[in-house]
Amino acid sequence: MSELAKTYTPGDAEERWYSFWESNGYFHAEPVPGRTPYTIVIPPPNITGILTMGHVLNNSIQDVFIRWRRMQGYQTLWMPGTDHAGIATQNVVEKSLAREKLTRHDLGREEFLRRVWEWKEQYGGTIIRQLRKLGTSCDWQRERFTMDEGLSKAVQEIFVRLHERGLIYRGKYIVNWCPKDHTAISDDEVNPVEHKGHLYYVRYRVRGSGESIVIATTRPETILGDVAVAVHPDDERHRRLVGATVIVPLAEREIPVIADSFVDPAFGTGMVKITPAHDPNDYWVGQRHNLAQINIFDVSGRLTGPVPEKYRGIDRFEARRMIVQDLESAGQMEKIDDHTHAIGHCYRCDTIIEPYLSDQWFVRMKPLAEPALRAVQQGTVRFHPDRWVKTYEHWMLNIRDWCISRQLWWGHRIPVWYCGNKNSADPRCREPIVARTPPSACPHCSSADVRQDEDVLDTWFSSWLWPFSTLGWPDDNRGLRYFYPTNTLVTAPDIIFFWVARMIMAGMEVMRDIPAPDGSPRTTDAAIVPFRDVYFTSIIRDMKGRKMSKSLGNSPDPLDVIAEYGADALRFTILYLAPLGQDVLYSNEKCELGRNFANKIWNAGRFLLMNREQLGIPGTTTIHAGWSEDHIDLADRWILSRLHSTSAALSSSLEEFEINQATKLLYDFIWHDFCDWYIEMLKARLYGDEPQEIKQRVLLRALNVFEKILRLLHPVMPFVSEELWHGIEERPAGISLMTAAFPVPEERWIDPGTESEMAFVQSAINAVRNARGELSVPPSREISLLVHFTDGSKGEIISRYRNYFLRLAKVTDISELGSGKRPKHAAGLVIEGGEAFIPLEGLIDLGAERERIEKELARLHVMVGSIEQKLGNPNFVDRAPREIVEKEREKLQSMRSSIEKLKGNLERIAG
RNA sequence: GGGCUCUUAGCUCAGUUGGUUAGAGCGCUACCUUGACAUGGUAGAGGUCAUAGGUUCGAGUCCUAUAGAGCCCACCA
């Protein structure tokens, strides 16, 4: 134990304790039979990412749960790792290549991937290093990466299994195609730009009648790929057309009129041409109605395929011009309106994106969604807040197949090969070969010419396995059996579909095969779901409510915040600010809350430690052994009652995922109960005239309470609590607060009688302070108190605890006032069960005193009025519960008696 | 268009199943460097709980409508 600094300086302590914890193995967990596991898997951050305030919130929450459960004695595993982030990472490396005037094609696939791995080794661990600064107690020995050997094996395994089950298939899918770069890009990479274009109204003839219909389109050139015309099923105007056949202008093909509710009757003419090969909406309409897909563009956006000869090889925009002209001369262009709409551009080269059909791999989602929906509806997986259940249900009931192939190089290569033997007579040679290990030859014709699919898998195709692939799946092993299912998932709500839903599907699909820890089969949903509770975190915004973003520059660097305020301060503040399921407006200055709190706790510890030394308590006396119930008084009984009820409330808050409630409980209890009242009352005893030996016992009792406080605090503020825990007592080498038992509330200490006695003392002290304040009695001025109690027990309490009045209100003397004698030059106080006077000869301003009394009287009159009205209402008296009515009566009585006393005080002053 | 959330003090927010005088932090005012802490202490000012109805003995809390703010999904061919 050494002298503590006047203010808490976090930097050094954080560094010291983090490496202490890690080097002593406190983060690592192995299966321990008979002990209950508690597991969290981290949402793996992208290797391209840097720490954001969102990560701070997310990981602080996880660390609170993990540390709390660890202290409760669970075998606790927090599994960390990172995500390879296909597109993002490939982009970063391509950008750096661009600075060398190179493209990935210049390097070739193998060399490019070598560069990406190189980049990953160098920069991919950044966010993990940053996370440590926050104090996260992840099991770093188990750190995983989605492209690890083991996780890649899991990816291949599930692909093959789902294919065997018929849940993976290859089909045409519409992607965002860049006709200049010749690549598909993801939705995120499409840059929508407002465009002034036109809406063309084109006339289609109806077969077998003289009629024709008019259809509006922004892209008349795609007419050549039309396969249907759609109307809304409820649209009276066009209902009779459904089932009719119309003729595509210029192409002169016959197509049906169908009904689909995606059509907006209010737009255009309420009729839409359907071109599944060249429009995403039309694509889905086509899927629903089993329509053909007519592709009319080549990879560069030139017309091709089944289009009239004259348009072949013409660029899409030139073709549009020609077709508009041809429609006009054919008399089939009804009119052309101006029309502004958003058009997708390539984020890289700004070329207009072409929705384009290509070969892609899919997962059939319906069979997977069914059990996953059930698990959430039946509460096997619980969402917090639960309003997300509705969103989840809606998505699961309307689920589409998942396109899992990506035209990228960085990622898990699809485990599919193709036979290159074009001359083979065996038709199976034209089928894809799906295999766990690369085939050396075609299994059908034995040709050595087999080539792997060029594409890689969607990044989510590895992350949906995260809760079990990180534990070694597909290999059965002790750790997987023991730690699965995990307990709590903490994640942002915007990836509920991408990630959360799919993890539930994947877990329920494959984990039935892995035995439970005791070797028995997993038979229930509860045993196969990947987690039981999902905590959806808040979104962090700036003080104007805007999302944090790089371009706005409103996104603080958490490392700067940690350097300035400390990791504990940041953790505490962000948890305090973030209620379950609501957005948080954040600015760095708010961390003063946490910093000040850490400092307050620090100084409370410093106070206790200083007194420990002053009282000469030997360093060999442990706090625990020093515990004694001798000479216990109100302050002790009260703080123990508050300690135990706070720890009960804290545990239930955490169990209900109300972390911000938990931080408020800690804050109020430590600051207002422990520091403001208990320590001040403690001073009265420590500096009073009791023998040294008793003072030692009193202080050790205070230290025992404080030590429990540090335990309660540790999950939220691990550093300062650990630092103080060692500060107040010499600990054996290698021992940490991390595995000290989390306090279990003891009923015997929770005592309403003590709390109400204390409340009375507090209200009496407050009354004195209040009078002093309002009458501007200087804080240094000592006063005496003349009391008169009709309720003798109350008077007895006051006189028993006069030492507290001395310390907390500078009352040097309390004496009994004979009844009827009321000093004129005095402030009058109304106290429960009696009244009191502060003689202020020569100091009191009688005008101010009268004002004070009149103000209080006015307030009481208003309240008495409303209570009298309430009690005068027979409905209230008859229908309200008896205890409520009784309470109102008591209140009225006590107010009336206060009014009487105050009136007496007015007379006193006047007389 | 479909779904969801929010509106309480100058600001940011608590307020559990309806029932004491609606609370906190910051900011503000006054006083205080008293032997843990000025990153502190004591006292104080400040609210028709968005609006209008309704249910109820009783509504910040439940219901309906309106206004405003936000989020997610789908999206104008």
Side-chain angles (χ1 to χ4, degrees):
Chain A
M1 277 175 292
S2 56
E3 189 102 340
L4 301 184
K6 199 170 171 183
T7 51
Y8 173 57
T9 44
D12 164 63
E14 290 171 8
E15 200 84 12
R16 219 165 354 96
W17 289 116
Y18 200 84
S19 57
F20 171 86
W21 293 328
E22 193 171 5
S23 61
N24 282 281
Y26 281 104
F27 299 161
H28 183 62
E30 286 292 333
V32 174
R35 241 171 122 185
T36 313
Y38 181 85
T39 314
I40 291 180
V41 288
I42 204 168
N46 290 354
I47 50 171
T48 54
I50 55 161
L51 199 67
T52 64
M53 291 310 298
H55 292 115
V56 168
L57 173 63
N58 181 266
N59 289 285
S60 296
I61 291 167
Q62 293 176 70
D63 202 37
V64 167
F65 287 140
I66 282 285
R67 286 181 185 268
W68 169 55
R69 293 299 189 186
R70 192 183 284 122
M71 290 175 78
Q72 285 188 324
Y74 289 84
Q75 190 63 9
T76 308
L77 169 63
W78 186 5
M79 174 71 76
T82 46
D83 191 294
H84 67 279
I87 299 159
T89 309
Q90 180 161 321
N91 280 348
V92 168
V93 177
E94 285 193 285
K95 266 182 199 150
S96 84
L97 282 180
R99 282 195 288 275
E100 305 169 42
K101 301 252 188 292
L102 289 171
T103 70
R104 69 178 204 265
H105 299 283
D106 296 331
L107 299 184
R109 187 164 189 144
E110 203 174 320
E111 173 59 16
F112 178 73
L113 289 178
R114 202 189 57 74
R115 293 268 195 133
V116 183
W117 277 106
E118 208 175 85
W119 184 92
K120 189 256 172 189
E121 292 314 318
Q122 201 172 349
Y123 304 106
T126 302
I127 193 158
I128 292 297
R129 279 194 300 278
Q130 293 176 321
L131 266 180
R132 290 161 178 254
K133 299 280 182 204
L134 195 61
T136 53
S137 58
C138 300
D139 186 352
W140 299 113
Q141 294 178 42
R142 290 180 181 267
E143 186 180 340
R144 295 291 184 270
F145 176 54
T146 47
M147 280 179 58
D148 278 350
E149 204 180 319
L151 273 69
S152 299
K153 186 176 158 191
V155 165
Q156 281 171 30
E157 179 65 27
I158 191 129
F159 187 98
V160 175
R161 279 199 203 180
L162 291 175
H163 183 262
E164 285 166 354
R165 276 199 57 192
L167 296 183
I168 280 188
Y169 64 92
R170 199 159 76 124
K172 292 279 184 191
Y173 186 60
I174 203 149
V175 294
N176 303 301
W177 186 261
C178 176
K180 182 161 172 284
D181 295 345
H182 292 184
T183 181
I185 62 174
S186 75
D187 291 348
D188 309 330
E189 296 164 321
V190 176
N191 190 15
V193 179
E194 281 284 300
H195 230 266
K196 277 185 190 159
H198 302 284
L199 195 55
Y200 303 89
Y201 289 79
V202 182
R203 191 170 286 281
Y204 287 50
R205 296 194 312 279
V206 179
R207 192 189 68 179
S209 77
E211 284 183 79
S212 62
I213 57 173
V214 176
I215 291 168
T217 178
T218 53
R219 301 196 58 193
E221 68 279 14
T222 63
I223 278 173
L224 303 174
D226 283 359
V227 297
V229 166
V231 301
H232 195 278
D234 301 335
D235 193 335
E236 297 294 341
R237 298 171 300 169
H238 308 310
R239 179 169 288 170
R240 58 185 187 83
L241 282 169
V242 176
T245 299
V246 298
I247 294 154
V248 180
L250 306 179
E252 300 302 318
R253 275 187 294 108
E254 295 187 352
I255 59 172
V257 178
I258 59 170
D260 194 288
S261 54
F262 115 95
V263 180
D264 176 5
F267 191 88
T269 60
M271 290 181 277
V272 190
K273 63 187 216 58
I274 302 298
T275 318
H278 298 292
D279 182 280
N281 288 311
D282 295 6
Y283 173 82
W284 292 109
V285 175
Q287 293 296 102
R288 284 195 285 274
H289 297 269
N290 230 340
L291 301 174
Q293 298 163 335
I294 300 179
N295 181 19
I296 60 162
F297 293 131
D298 68 11
V299 290
S300 301
R302 284 185 300 255
L303 269 64
T304 182
V307 300
E309 188 59 42
K310 62 182 288 201
Y311 306 123
R312 293 220 180 117
I314 306 290
D315 178 77
R316 51 190 172 150
F317 297 111
E318 174 59 15
R320 177 182 303 175
R321 210 188 51 76
M322 286 168 66
I323 284 169
V324 167
Q325 212 168 53
D326 292 347
L327 286 170
E328 277 174 337
S329 40
Q332 288 187 286
M333 183 66 79
E334 185 71 10
K335 60 169 175 170
I336 302 176
D337 286 352
D338 285 342
H339 182 63
T340 303
H341 59 138
I343 294 183
H345 289 243
C346 176
Y347 77 105
R348 260 191 292 219
C349 68
D350 214 36
T351 302
I352 291 179
I353 290 302
E354 189 60 44
Y356 195 66
L357 273 185
S358 56
D359 285 318
Q360 305 288 343
W361 287 91
F362 295 86
V363 177
R364 218 179 286 286
M365 295 300 266
K366 268 238 152 59
L368 296 174
E370 243 164 64
L373 176 60
R374 179 184 70 217
V376 170
Q377 283 176 330
Q378 295 180 348
T380 313
V381 174
R382 296 170 290 259
F383 286 176
H384 310 276
D386 62 1
R387 72 180 131 90
W388 291 106
V389 170
K390 273 194 181 175
T391 315
Y392 178 86
E393 278 177 336
H394 183 258
W395 193 73
M396 296 300 259
L397 289 169
N398 296 285
I399 199 158
R400 288 174 177 178
D401 286 353
W402 175 17
C403 175
I404 52 172
S405 43
R406 293 288 182 274
Q407 290 68 50
L408 297 172
W409 286 355
W410 175 242
H412 301 94
R413 192 99 176 242
I414 296 182
V416 167
W417 287 263
Y418 303 97
C419 173
N421 179 7
K422 299 282 182 246
N423 303 322
S424 168
D426 192 330
R428 291 175 302 174
C429 286
R430 283 177 284 285
E431 299 286 314
I433 305 157
V434 177
R436 288 180 174 82
T437 47
S440 52
C442 173
H444 310 299
C445 68
S446 303
S447 160
D449 182 11
V450 284
R451 283 212 197 140
Q452 187 165 9
D453 196 301
E454 291 296 316
D455 291 350
V456 299
L457 290 159
D458 181 9
T459 301
W460 297 108
F461 198 81
S462 54
S463 16
W464 74 326
L465 313 177
W466 189 249
F468 45 91
S469 65
T470 49
L471 287 164
W473 188 89
D475 297 333
D476 183 14
N477 71 83
R478 245 165 29 103
L480 178 61
R481 288 185 182 197
Y482 182 79
F483 289 113
Y484 191 96
T486 75
N487 296 77
T488 307
L489 178 77
V490 180
T491 192
D494 53 349
I495 51 175
I496 184 168
F497 307 129
F498 289 137
W499 197 44
V500 180
R502 287 172 183 163
M503 279 192 286
I504 300 174
M505 296 181 204
M508 296 184 81
E509 172 69 14
V510 304
M511 281 303 293
R512 210 173 283 276
D513 301 342
I514 302 293
D518 61 2
S520 65
R522 293 180 192 256
T523 51
T524 60
D525 282 357
I528 57 173
V529 294
F531 30 73
R532 305 301 308 277
D533 292 286
V534 184
Y535 181 111
F536 289 110
T537 55
S538 315
I539 294 167
I540 312 281
R541 301 171 177 282
D542 71 7
M543 290 308 285
K544 290 175 184 160
R546 300 173 302 186
K547 266 191 179 166
M548 302 255 171
S549 79
K550 273 183 209 159
S551 54
L552 279 173
N554 61 348
S555 163
D557 182 345
L559 296 193
D560 293 346
V561 181
I562 289 170
E564 188 179 350
Y565 296 94
D568 285 334
L570 174 59
R571 289 167 62 117
F572 185 86
T573 303
I574 202 98
L575 293 173
Y576 184 93
L577 292 175
L580 186 53
Q582 267 175 56
D583 292 359
V584 176
L585 304 194
Y586 172 86
S587 71
N588 284 350
E589 298 76 59
K590 286 193 171 181
C591 286
E592 286 176 15
L593 175 86
R595 181 201 57 186
N596 295 355
F597 184 45
N599 191 56
K600 188 73 179 176
I601 298 157
W602 178 258
N603 272 289
R606 186 163 162 257
F607 167 81
L608 295 173
L609 187 58
M610 280 169 69
N611 279 280
R612 180 184 175 136
E613 276 161 9
Q614 238 159 55
L615 289 169
I617 299 170
T620 50
T621 304
T622 66
I623 292 168
H624 183 69
W627 166 258
S628 149
E629 290 181 30
D630 298 344
H631 304 280
I632 200 160
D633 82 343
L634 176 64
D636 296 311
R637 283 185 284 114
W638 173 73
I639 201 67
L640 284 160
S641 180
R642 294 288 305 124
L643 171 71
H644 289 281
S645 56
T646 300
S647 92
L650 188 65
S651 289
S652 61
S653 296
L654 291 174
E655 267 149 26
E656 285 155 31
F657 301 91
E658 301 270 1
I659 295 195
N660 93 312
Q661 179 63 28
T663 60
K664 282 183 211 306
L665 284 165
L666 285 168
Y667 188 91
D668 289 340
F669 171 62
I670 294 173
W671 199 306
H672 296 122
D673 292 342
F674 190 79
C675 294
D676 288 352
W677 285 97
Y678 178 68
I679 286 189
E680 292 309 313
M681 291 168 97
L682 188 63
K683 284 177 186 170
R685 294 194 78 182
L686 296 180
Y687 305 146
D689 48 16
E690 287 175 287
Q692 185 86 346
E693 190 209 310
I694 292 176
K695 289 182 179 176
Q696 289 185 350
R697 287 182 197 179
V698 170
L699 184 74
L700 281 162
R701 193 153 53 222
L703 279 163
N704 270 280
V705 173
F706 189 65
E707 198 267 350
K708 290 282 195 302
I709 285 176
L710 295 177
R711 293 180 189 224
L712 293 174
L713 189 67
H714 185 259
V716 179
M717 303 181 101
F719 294 111
V720 71
S721 55
E722 183 85 85
E723 179 83 348
L724 281 168
W725 197 68
H726 291 266
I728 57 173
E729 181 172 312
E730 205 80 55
R731 309 277 173 184
I735 293 297
S736 166
L737 175 57
M738 273 185 70
T739 49
F742 197 77
V744 177
E746 292 171 44
E747 277 305 317
R748 71 175 180 122
W749 288 113
I750 301 176
D751 178 15
T754 296
E755 299 214 12
S756 74
E757 194 177 334
M758 178 67 181
F760 169 69
V761 171
Q762 285 176 315
S763 73
I765 288 171
N766 283 335
V768 176
R769 284 171 166 179
N770 176 289
R772 292 189 65 129
E774 297 220 324
L775 297 171
S776 300
V777 179
S780 55
R781 160 93 185 212
E782 297 181 332
I783 55 171
S784 56
L785 206 56
L786 300 168
V787 296
H788 174 71
F789 280 93
T790 46
D791 179 345
S793 68
K794 293 282 192 274
E796 200 268 324
I797 292 172
I798 298 268
S799 86
R800 185 169 359 131
Y801 297 116
R802 55 182 59 220
N803 57 337
Y804 294 148
F805 283 79
L806 173 61
R807 177 56 59 173
L808 279 81
K810 261 205 151 68
V811 174
T812 50
D813 177 64
I814 300 176
S815 46
E816 197 67 35
L817 180 72
S819 57
K821 289 190 197 165
R822 289 172 163 161
K824 176 169 181 180
H825 293 277
L829 313 177
V830 175
I831 297 174
E832 192 190 343
E835 51 188 331
F837 301 92
I838 306 168
L840 291 166
E841 200 72 46
L843 233 158
I844 191 161
D845 173 348
L846 289 180
E849 172 68 355
R850 185 181 304 114
E851 215 172 283
R852 197 173 74 89
I853 295 167
E854 278 169 350
K855 191 173 117 194
E856 182 63 10
L857 266 175
R859 197 178 66 85
L860 285 171
H861 276 302
V862 169
M863 281 165 52
V864 164
S866 88
I867 296 172
E868 279 174 340
Q869 198 181 9
K870 221 184 232 185
L871 287 170
N873 179 353
N875 278 329
F876 173 72
V877 180
D878 293 347
R879 299 199 197 180
R882 200 174 323 142
E883 60 273 20
I884 297 290
V885 178
E886 203 41 50
K887 218 186 260 179
E888 290 296 312
R889 289 211 172 104
E890 277 168 24
K891 208 160 67 181
L892 181 64
Q893 201 168 5
S894 116
M895 279 178 189
R896 277 179 176 155
S897 113
S898 296
I899 287 172
E900 285 315 303
K901 289 175 199 162
L902 287 170
K903 279 183 177 163
N905 277 335
L906 276 182
E907 283 166 28
R908 169 177 61 86
I909 294 170

